[in-house]
Amino acid sequence: MTSASLTAPAARLQGISKHFGVTFALDDVDFDVGFREIHAVVGENGAGKSTLIRILSGVHRPDRGQVVVDGVERQFASPRDAIAAGIVTIPQELRLVPALSIAENIALGDLPVHRFGPLALLDRTRMDDDARAILAQLDFVPDVRRPVADLSFAERQLVAIGRALHRQCRIFILDEPTAALEQHEIERLFAVLSRIKERGTAIIYISHELDEVVAIADRCTVLRDGRVVTTSRRGAFSVGDLVSAMTGRAHETADAGSLAAGAALLEADSGGQHPIRVRAGETIGLAGLLGSGTDILMRRLFGAVRTAAPIRVKSRPRLLRGPADAIAAGIGFVPGERALGLVLNQSVRDNILLASLDQMRRGIVIDRAAGERIVAELMDLLDIRPRRPALPVSALSGGNQQKVILAKWLARRVEVLLLEEPTQGIDVGAKAQIHGLIRDFIHRGGGTLIASSDLTELARLCDAVLAVRYGSIVARLERADGLDEPKLRAAIGA
């Protein structure tokens, strides 16, 4: 690559428009990314981010406009054409083969061979050496014959980046790359991205984590309703600026209020120094590193573990032999993986009513009219879009799917909500709405227990946070004593 080529855009989209049916996903969008640059793209769900990167990566063809890569106009018929042009997408769901080794995954599609006339044998030594050399550029020195299935998500992500380098791709598209990473893994990833950027790579960075965008992006483009709202250079945008541009509203930071807590709704022994106690009008947080056991604690409180879980509900002992016992006790659970809280091939209406069917029976007949009223009221209350209760829930954005799960438990009138990663992977506008719904729930006398890897979110929302290590609660931090991310990080050993 010549120094002259580094001054021209690595990729440029000019006047790109794309519609699906009557909906314009992109409308006359201009966008470019330079070599040795990280250009972030942000926007609410439905703003057009996914369509933009799918056009650049060959998944979709634009209805109008030009795609220019390294000065040459391109018309991609498939992702294979984009890869051949040096463009690779590293999605949230990493496309690696778990049973194959690290080296095999990196070389996949371009395996080195020894040729003996018409015969070709895999050159395993060269394949392993190539993998080691590539991963050394990323400061990752694993046993390259180790199966990918044995790696952490962060390590698999480095393998995916190594495979892109092996293919000599010069334009990287990273989609929500930090969604499943711990803070130290995020810092390592940022160091890797900075290193490969300085070697001449162009990086397009898609993320809902706006503080990360401010920290790493050289430029940031904001999309809203399929159009470019603004493009700004580093130092010219803050988190508040991005939120305002994305939503069209002034940025507001919503911290927990000072609502007086009432009687205990849920109590359980934690096996550690502090019990779990959630009172009416109170939000308690669970904070821990990946593998700390916060997920197991949450599932135990919902009866979703093999051994029966003893708890106290409104000071009365209860034994949870399964989720049905928890639901009967007035407890709802919003899992971190939305697919576990929804029946994706069923309608929005059916998902909202799923936990309340026993309460809507008149003898052996379901009161459908009452069900329709409940669904309409909750879709309005929670601003679930579009207002089409018959639509399959799989067709909704992540933020609206999360609202459907909340609506399911509001329809059931539960008193305690267990929320696991309630805002992970949703845009800033939907995140603010979810936070508002949590506050409304506790103001109506409910109690919430939130497990989240977003320590800033816990510090803002919670009256107290329980720090979890190795499956036990080791500390309780109170809002009255000051809650902030550094304190929480220290408590969980981050």
Side-chain angles (χ1 to χ4, degrees), residues 129-142 144 195 199:
D129 288 345
D130 287 348
R132 290 189 192 98
I134 286 168
L135 294 176
Q137 299 176 38
L138 310 180
D139 282 344
F140 184 37
V141 190
V144 295
R195 195 175 302 122
R199 291 174 181 166

Side-chain angles (χ1 to χ4, degrees), residues 258-269:
S258 55
L259 186 67
L265 298 176
L266 173 66
E267 298 171 278
D269 293 329

Side-chain angles (χ1 to χ4, degrees), residues 119-412:
L119 299 178
L121 298 177
L122 176 63
D123 187 344
R124 188 170 292 278
T125 300
R126 184 175 140 207
M127 179 179 70
D128 292 350
D129 288 345
D130 287 348
R132 290 189 192 98
I134 286 168
L135 294 176
Q137 299 176 38
L138 310 180
D139 282 344
F140 184 37
V141 190
D143 175 359
V144 295
R145 296 198 174 187
R146 187 180 175 191
V148 161
D150 293 346
L151 304 181
S152 69
F153 182 87
E155 291 170 331
R156 294 199 303 272
Q157 194 173 59
L158 293 176
V159 172
I161 292 172
R163 183 167 66 182
L165 292 173
H166 175 75
R167 291 173 171 174
Q168 298 185 326
C169 292
R170 296 169 299 153
I171 302 169
F172 284 27
I173 303 171
L174 286 90
D175 186 11
E176 299 291 348
T178 65
L181 301 185
E182 298 283 5
Q183 183 60 38
H184 71 278
E185 294 170 331
I186 293 172
E187 292 168 1
R188 181 187 192 181
L189 174 65
F190 282 7
V192 166
L193 296 182
S194 296
R195 195 175 302 122
I196 63 176
K197 179 189 81 169
E198 291 307 317
R199 291 174 181 166
T201 303
I203 300 171
I204 300 171
Y205 189 92
I206 313 294
S207 180
H208 289 310
E209 300 298 334
L210 301 185
D211 52 341
E212 295 174 6
V213 169
V214 171
I216 197 171
D218 299 301
R219 277 193 293 163
C220 183
T221 289
V222 179
L223 294 177
R224 187 169 76 227
D225 298 328
R227 297 183 177 90
V228 173
V229 177
T230 184
T231 297
S232 304
R233 293 197 173 275
R234 178 192 289 274
F237 59 88
S238 64
V239 170
D241 296 330
L242 297 179
V243 172
S244 298
M246 289 166 59
T247 64
R249 303 183 298 273
H251 176 47
E252 297 177 358
T253 301
D255 290 344
S258 55
L259 186 67
L265 298 176
L266 173 66
E267 298 171 278
D269 293 329
S270 67
Q273 302 171 22
H274 303 270
I276 296 172
R277 181 181 296 110
V278 180
R279 297 181 294 175
E282 185 177 55
T283 295
I284 301 297
L286 279 181
L289 301 174
L290 286 175
S292 65
T294 58
D295 55 340
I296 296 172
L297 286 173
M298 294 289 274
R299 280 158 177 73
R300 185 180 299 153
L301 295 173
F302 193 59
V305 292
R306 291 185 178 181
T307 55
I311 64 169
R312 290 177 295 281
V313 177
K314 295 184 177 178
S315 301
R316 295 181 180 179
R318 302 288 291 257
L319 191 63
L320 304 182
R321 297 181 179 86
D325 290 339
I327 294 170
I331 301 169
F333 179 43
V334 180
E337 189 176 346
R338 282 188 284 273
L340 298 179
L342 298 167
V343 183
L344 291 173
N345 63 352
Q346 295 298 309
S347 68
V348 172
R349 176 195 301 109
D350 291 345
N351 273 276
I352 290 175
L353 297 177
L354 188 60
S356 307
L357 294 176
D358 61 326
Q359 297 178 339
M360 297 172 54
R361 291 186 184 277
R362 291 184 175 179
I364 60 171
V365 179
I366 300 292
D367 188 343
R368 295 187 179 277
E372 293 291 348
R373 287 195 300 273
I374 290 170
V375 169
E377 289 172 4
L378 287 171
M379 291 188 75
D380 284 340
L381 177 67
L382 275 65
D383 192 25
I384 297 172
R385 302 183 184 184
R387 299 285 204 279
R388 294 170 56 189
L391 195 68
V393 75
S394 59
L396 271 57
S397 69
N400 281 292
Q401 287 180 351
Q402 194 78 323
K403 293 178 193 176
V404 170
I405 303 175
L406 287 170
K408 174 176 67 177
W409 298 120
L410 293 180
R412 177 77 194 187

